[in-house]
Amino acid sequence: MQTDVIRIGTRGSALALAQAAETRARLMTAHALPEEAFDIVVISTSGDRIQDRSLANAGGKGLFTKELEEALFDNRIDLAVHSSKDMPTILPDRLEISAFLEREDVRDVFIGRAAKRLEDLPQGAKLGTSSLRRQALALRMRPDLNVSLFRGNVQTRLSKLENGEAEGTLLALAGLKRLQLESVASEVLPVERFPPALGQGAICIESRIGDERIRKLVDAIHHEETGIALACERAFLAALDGSCRTPIAGHAAVVGSRLEFHGMILTPDGSQAHEVAAKGPVLDAAWIGTDAGSRVRDKAGTSFFEGWG
């Protein structure tokens, strides 16, 4: 049953709540609506509850979106706010990504106890991360590192680091900025050397197909350049059947009327990597991503992917 109040679904972490609040603030400004016109609805997801193993071993992408999507189907919420990098490339029937907010900084950061820079960690130091991509990129630079599982929200991971469970960890700069915690970063890693997850730094809104009330509402806060870049990145991911089991990195950027893309696939231990670069008109964003994915897959060969399943 439709209500006048716009119900925004979100996970309950501090970062997820900050992203929902940012979405609400943008909608308030765009439509001159009071805060009371919105209700932020917190929904616990499988990804939040599973803390004892990697997401790759728990089911991969979709663990942070499934329960929010069920709430959309049940009409308990009107829109769901997600981190774009958590979104599977194939959405459930009757749901769509209806808007992207303007993208934050896409870079990763290193936060160190034993060193200020990732490359300066002591030999064999323990690096905590839950991301196979970050693990692979770090081991590509420093094969001697001992990578351990670091699950939990931003504050949990920082607490683990503070408690000495690792000598360093890696986080997204965008999340730290949204939490006003960017000062904890000891090194910002360049995109060229440490490319981000596809979709990193971008908030997306998911809603029901055909819900014109919500579509018109969120159209006003959609950021076109971010949408173009994400169309390319998500197409690249889809072409590689990307999941949490596949270390895939990449970044698309709009430069004038052109789109530039750089992508990379790695083995989990970082010992092998293949890169691809592409550019073209912004209108061809999805095609550029799909073609880049096909080319890097052909370059790597079938045997490269055999250990990913």
Side-chain angles (χ1 to χ4, degrees):
M1 183 175 179
Q2 181 171 299
T3 64
D4 290 330
V5 173
I6 298 145
R7 299 159 299 173
I8 300 173
T10 177
R11 293 163 55 200
S13 71
L15 177 55
L17 291 169
Q19 294 181 162
E22 180 179 340
T23 302
R24 178 181 61 189
R26 289 176 182 266
L27 288 169
M28 288 168 58
T29 299
H31 298 284
L33 290 170
E35 189 171 309
E36 295 73 30
F38 302 88
D39 183 17
I40 291 181
V41 181
V42 175
I43 295 172
S44 174
T45 70
S46 303
D48 295 309
R49 293 190 295 271
I50 297 169
Q51 297 293 323
D52 60 343
R53 59 196 187 275
S54 71
L55 294 181
N57 293 327
K61 280 187 178 289
L63 291 172
F64 288 122
T65 60
K66 178 176 177 288
E67 286 83 358
L68 287 161
E69 289 169 340
E70 289 171 351
L72 280 169
F73 283 131
D74 295 344
N75 204 30
R76 286 178 281 136
I77 59 174
D78 299 303
L79 57 96
V81 177
H82 304 284
S83 294
S84 295
K85 66 180 180 181
D86 292 336
M87 294 297 287
T89 54
I90 298 174
L91 301 183
D93 290 342
R94 297 185 285 125
L95 298 183
E96 64 179 352
I97 295 177
S98 45
F100 291 97
L101 304 193
E102 184 173 3
R103 197 174 204 170
E104 244 294 358
D105 200 311
V106 303
R107 295 174 294 176
D108 279 320
V109 301
F110 171 70
I111 305 166
R113 286 194 318 115
K116 294 297 184 185
R117 300 194 307 162
L118 177 61
E119 58 191 359
D120 292 336
L121 279 172
Q123 188 79 9
K126 184 179 285 188
L127 179 73
T129 181
S130 61
S131 161
L132 271 184
R133 173 190 60 86
R134 289 175 180 142
Q135 168 186 303
L137 289 168
L139 289 174
R140 187 182 187 217
M141 294 170 59
R142 288 286 307 274
D144 62 287
L145 293 176
N146 175 17
V147 179
S148 63
L149 179 67
F150 246 35
R151 285 297 318 282
N153 59 38
V154 170
Q155 288 83 355
T156 299
R157 295 186 217 184
L158 291 176
S159 177
K160 287 181 177 182
L161 183 64
E162 183 68 24
N163 292 337
E165 294 184 32
E167 278 72 61
T169 190
L170 299 159
L171 292 171
L173 180 55
L176 293 177
K177 284 188 170 184
R178 291 184 175 119
L179 292 170
Q180 299 182 338
L181 289 172
E182 61 264 40
S183 62
V184 304
S186 51
E187 179 188 18
V188 178
L189 298 162
V191 171
E192 299 75 24
R193 193 159 52 99
F194 212 93
L198 287 306
Q200 186 157 304
I203 296 170
C204 70
I205 297 171
E206 187 178 22
S207 58
R208 292 178 291 270
I209 293 172
D211 190 335
E212 292 304 315
R213 170 183 176 240
I214 298 303
R215 187 61 191 246
K216 289 176 183 176
L217 193 78
V218 301
D219 272 350
I221 62 171
H222 173 68
H223 189 253
E224 186 175 4
E225 285 190 8
T226 300
I228 291 167
L230 267 290
C232 176
E233 293 180 19
R234 287 176 58 77
F236 178 73
L237 197 61
L240 292 166
D241 298 322
S243 74
C244 285
R245 290 184 178 273
T246 56
I248 305 174
H251 178 233
V254 175
V255 182
S257 62
R258 307 278 289 175
L259 183 77
E260 297 182 359
F261 175 74
H262 168 240
M264 180 187 294
I265 57 175
L266 307 96
T267 50
D269 65 359
S271 62
Q272 299 179 55
H274 295 278
E275 299 183 65
V276 63
K279 60 177 63 177
V282 294
L283 293 176
D284 294 337
W287 181 87
I288 292 168
T290 300
D291 181 65
S294 298
R295 286 193 288 123
V296 80
R297 178 183 283 278
D298 291 344
K299 184 191 296 187
T302 306
S303 60
F304 182 86
F305 299 89
E306 287 175 354
W308 287 15

